[in-house]
């Protein structure tokens, strides 16, 4: 799903970020004959769907370019190097205007390492492979991109661990400063001759290596060459020239222009994967070069180890962009959509829901233009989730083929077909997300409840020592006994069972609060369905820590009170106050991030530090634990001050926690911004008998589904 990030502009379009953007003015948009796909179909409310917009043009895009690693300044997904392989063998070439010039062919599943040439922090050379590998592993464990160059010099094996590459000498020097004996290497080299074939170039490289120099074979636009050295500045380059002239006076040297298109090959140790420890071919390319990697079998995929070991159809282009490595997957648009469906939806879902997703995803991809300058989209939910070959399934392929070329338009052209996981029962109005209106996005009911079907119950428990949290119902059973307040006693059915702050498993966001062992008894004070895309609980958040999260959006004192002060048409929070002071939100949907990353803004807040006390004669008063502790009246009228927490039962027998230090639970429905199509809602409508056109025209108002001519 793609996510929203900033408000829509004055034209009602979504800007760059987690929403669609208008096509760039420089993009070619050939006119296409558009065919109506929805005329005369009965609408959700029994009306007639709008006629097709016959004058609308749709951009044609055969191949889509997906940025896997890129740094545009606004969007940053970095990688210093990537390791590529293919099940059927990998073909690597130098890509230019005339086509692809072969560089290397790797056997099936054999990895190759590729990076943009740059500056390096180099550790001292050693003949001990184990020591060099250990050095690189320690560097990698510290978060650095490290490798080990393997050479034969003067007839002996030589290994050098390094960190990099870096775009600047200064960055490499900073990395070298923390390593004993490290020096800075760079992309300045001498050419020791040009050769018609690789064999002749290899012979020259061996001769230079035998004399003790770092020499590699390079492929240029003109043919093969041998490059010597890795100097970081001109002084080091000239010193190297003098050394070579003294050792090999007959070798003619010419400087290598770093802007020249070239790719040089060297041997390195594989630092990961199944072949860890063994040698692999490594390739460094110059600033102006582009490498193209493809599977030997055109139908196969290229696997990128650093991208979760995912395999991608089409080919992988590697280039330098903004001074850094850029990795872009280029493949046919319709094939890309199959993987998007597999990444966004389940193969178990109805075909009509998958078709609706296919049309929305196609429209979104076409709407972007060249959003990332050298790519149309990314592979993340900043645009659309795209996880490559592994997530493809037959029904996704069928849905894409059945809707081939179909897009959603209004009178202005392609719409921004925003979609997300779950509306929580009601889609959002744009004013609830961005603060302005978009004609084709309106708040309406959505059948999203399917997301919680089959989810287990979690019990909210209290131990004798006062510890509270949620335990999965599979690990607790009733004892048949109750406490004096009439609440049931349960006991653990296993040892080492995690009890968590909220009813779901997430070791990072919702780690274990404590554990119980078999036979441990506790009181159950409530229960909730396991948090899911439809209904969820987050928290508790301590008032002090939550204030830290709010940062500059809240400038008051200690956070004792947090309330939803304004709601939109769908019930989503559009204003939240802290101690009566409205939080400074750039736009309503940003409240999700401000409040700790909530799934949606359709939520209520449960406070533990504030409660209402019923007094004599029916009088009530509201108080906070922080301002005045609770005193419980005992026998003989004696009062006892409560501890840091107590449990309050209302007239209906519902129990809630009250604490001296304020804590906040968020209970809500929905997952995502809520604008446009709910994916779970599309599933729900398909199960009610809606076809994909009716689903789309339910979530997007006043639009038409059209198909561009080939």
């Amino acid at each position: 799903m793609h996510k929203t990030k900033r408000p829509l502009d004055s034209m009602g379009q979504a800007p760059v970020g987690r929403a669609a953007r208008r096509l760039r003015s420089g993009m070619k948009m050939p006119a296409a004959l558009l065919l109506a796909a929805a005329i005369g179909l009965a609408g959700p409310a029994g009306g007639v769907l709008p006629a097709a917009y016959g004058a609308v043009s749709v951009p044609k895009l055969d191949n889509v370019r997906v940025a896997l690693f890129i740094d545009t300044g606004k969007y940053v997904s970095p990688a210093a190097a990537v390791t590529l392989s293919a099940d059927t063998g990998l073909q690597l070439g130098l890509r230019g205007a005339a086509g692809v010039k072969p560089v290397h062919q790797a056997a099936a599943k054999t990895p190759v390492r590729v990076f943009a040439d740059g500056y390096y922090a180099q550790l001292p050379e050693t003949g001990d492979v184990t020591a060099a590998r250990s050095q690189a592993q320690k560097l990698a464990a510290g978060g650095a991109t490290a490798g080990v160059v393997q050479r034969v010099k003067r007839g002996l094996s030589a290994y050098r661990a390094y960190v990099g590459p870096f775009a600047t000498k200064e960055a490499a020097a900073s990395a070298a400063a923390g390593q004993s004996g490290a020096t800075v290497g760079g992309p300045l080299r001498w050419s020791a001759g040009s050769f018609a074939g690789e064999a002749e170039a290899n012979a020259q490289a061996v001769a230079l290596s035998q004399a003790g120099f770092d020499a590699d074979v390079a492929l240029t636009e003109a043919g093969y060459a041998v490059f010597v050295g890795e100097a970081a500045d001109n002084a080091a380059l000239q010193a190297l020239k003098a050394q070579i002239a003294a050792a090999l006076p007959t070798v003619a040297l010419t400087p290598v222009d770093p802007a020249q298109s070239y790719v040089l090959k060297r041997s390195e140790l594989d630092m990961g994967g199944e072949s860890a420890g063994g040698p692999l071919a490594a390739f460094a390319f110059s600033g102006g070069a582009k490498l193209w990697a493809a599977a030997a079998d055109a139908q196969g995929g290229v696997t990128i180890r650093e991208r979760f070991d995912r395999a991608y159809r089409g080919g992988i282009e590697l280039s330098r962009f903004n001074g850094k490595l850029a990795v872009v997957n280029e493949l046919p648009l319709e094939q890309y959509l199959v993987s998007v469906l597999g990444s966004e939806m389940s193969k178990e879902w109805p075909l009509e829901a998958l078709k609706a997703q296919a049309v929305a995803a196609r429209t979104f991809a076409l709407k972007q233009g060249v959003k990332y300058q050298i790519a149309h989209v990314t592979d993340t939910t900043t645009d659309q989730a795209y996880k490559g070959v592994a997530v493809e399934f037959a029904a996704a392929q069928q849905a894409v083929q059945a809707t081939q070329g179909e897009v959603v338009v209004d009178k202005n052209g392609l719409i921004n077909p925003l979609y997300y996981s779950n509306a929580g029962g009601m889609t959002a109005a744009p004013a609830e997300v961005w603060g302005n209106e978009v004609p084709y996005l309106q708040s309406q009911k959505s059948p999203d409840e399917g997301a919680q079907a089959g989810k287990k119950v979690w019990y909210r428990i209290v131990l004798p020592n006062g510890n509270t949290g949620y335990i999965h119902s599979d690990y607790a059973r009733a004892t048949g006994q109750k406490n004096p307040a009439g609440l049931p006693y349960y006991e653990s059915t296993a040892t080492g069972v995690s009890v968590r702050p909220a009813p779901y498993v997430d070791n990072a966001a919702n780690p274990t609060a404590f554990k119980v062992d078999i036979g441990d008894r506790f009181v159950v004070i409530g229960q909730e369905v396991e948090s899911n895309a439809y209904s969820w609980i987050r928290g508790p958040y301590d008032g002090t820590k939550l204030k830290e999260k709010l940062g500059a959006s809240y400038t008051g004192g200690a956070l004792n009170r947090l309330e939803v002060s304004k709601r939109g048409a769908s019930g989503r929070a559009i204003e939240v106050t802290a101690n009566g002071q409205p939080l400074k939100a750039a736009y309503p949907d940003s409240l999700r991030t401000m409040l700790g990353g909530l799934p949606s803004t359709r939520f209520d807040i449960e406070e533990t530090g504030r409660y209402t006390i019923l007094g004599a004669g029916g009088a009530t008063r509201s108080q906070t634990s922080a301002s005045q502790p609770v005193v419980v009246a005992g026998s003989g009228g004696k009062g006892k001050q409560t501890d840091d927490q107590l449990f309050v039962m209302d007239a209906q027998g519902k129990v809630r926690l009250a604490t001296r230090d304020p804590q906040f639970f968020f209970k809500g429905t929905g997952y995502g911004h809520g604008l446009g199509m709910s994916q779970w809602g599309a599933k729900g409508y398909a199960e009610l008998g809606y076809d994909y056109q009716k689903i789309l025209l339910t979530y997007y108002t006043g639009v038409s589904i059209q198909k561009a001519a080939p």
Side-chain angles (χ1 to χ4, degrees), residues 419-652:
Y419 62 87
Y420 50 93
S421 176
N422 194 294
M426 183 73 70
T427 69
E432 296 177 282
V433 179
W434 301 127
N436 63 339
E437 299 296 336
V438 179
Y440 54 79
L441 299 175
Q442 299 179 11
S443 179
Q444 55 195 312
K445 291 183 178 180
S446 180
D448 300 300
E449 299 86 350
Q452 67 179 8
K455 296 294 183 182
K456 292 292 188 72
V457 165
W458 287 57
Y459 298 129
R460 192 175 187 184
I461 67 172
V462 182
L463 265 62
N465 63 6
N467 285 344
T468 66
Y470 286 90
I471 186 172
H472 196 289
S473 57
D474 281 355
Y475 302 103
R477 66 186 172 200
T479 65
Q481 298 178 329
K482 294 184 178 181
N483 72 356
L487 297 172
Y489 280 114
Y490 277 60
E491 64 182 12
S492 174
T493 61
T495 295
V497 177
S498 293
V499 181
R500 299 176 184 269
Y504 66 99
V505 176
D506 185 329
N507 290 328
N510 187 44
T512 299
F514 57 91
K515 293 184 178 183
V516 292
D517 294 327
I518 190 166
D520 286 350
R521 284 162 56 96
F522 38 80
V523 173
V524 171
I525 63 172
Q527 64 181 46
E528 300 285 350
V529 173
E530 183 174 83
S531 291
N532 54 82
Y534 176 69
S535 62
W536 48 266
I537 294 175
R538 296 292 186 271
Y541 297 114
D542 175 82
T544 301
K545 293 182 179 179
L546 187 55
K547 181 184 175 182
E548 293 176 1
K549 289 180 180 291
L550 293 176
S553 64
Y554 171 66
T555 56
L559 184 58
N560 298 317
R561 189 158 45 96
L562 197 65
E563 299 173 293
V564 176
S565 48
K566 291 182 182 179
R567 295 188 184 274
S570 73
R572 284 169 169 78
I574 58 175
E575 182 186 85
V576 173
T577 59
N579 292 356
Q581 172 187 321
L583 298 179
K584 298 175 183 178
Y587 47 90
D589 195 61
S590 64
L591 290 168
R592 287 199 287 157
T593 301
M594 291 166 54
L595 295 170
L598 301 180
S600 81
T601 54
R602 201 164 190 256
F603 59 78
D604 294 310
I605 303 173
E606 177 185 305
E607 302 180 11
T608 65
R610 189 158 57 104
Y611 41 85
T612 300
I613 296 177
L614 177 63
T620 61
R621 63 186 174 91
S622 179
Q623 101 176 24
T624 63
S625 303
S627 64
Q628 182 178 348
V630 174
V631 176
V632 180
S635 60
K638 293 183 179 180
K640 178 183 178 182
Q641 183 173 316
T642 63
D643 295 327
D644 290 339
Q645 66 181 27
L646 72 154
F647 297 89
V648 182
M649 180 182 290
D650 63 17
Q652 287 73 43

Side-chain angles (χ1 to χ4, degrees), residues 42-77:
V48 177
L49 298 177
Y53 299 106
V56 171
S57 294
V58 176
K60 181 177 175 58
L61 183 65
D62 293 327
N63 290 333
V64 66
R65 289 172 57 85
V66 186
L68 306 178
F69 293 108
I70 196 170
D71 185 346
T72 68
K74 293 182 177 180
Y75 178 86
V76 180
S77 176

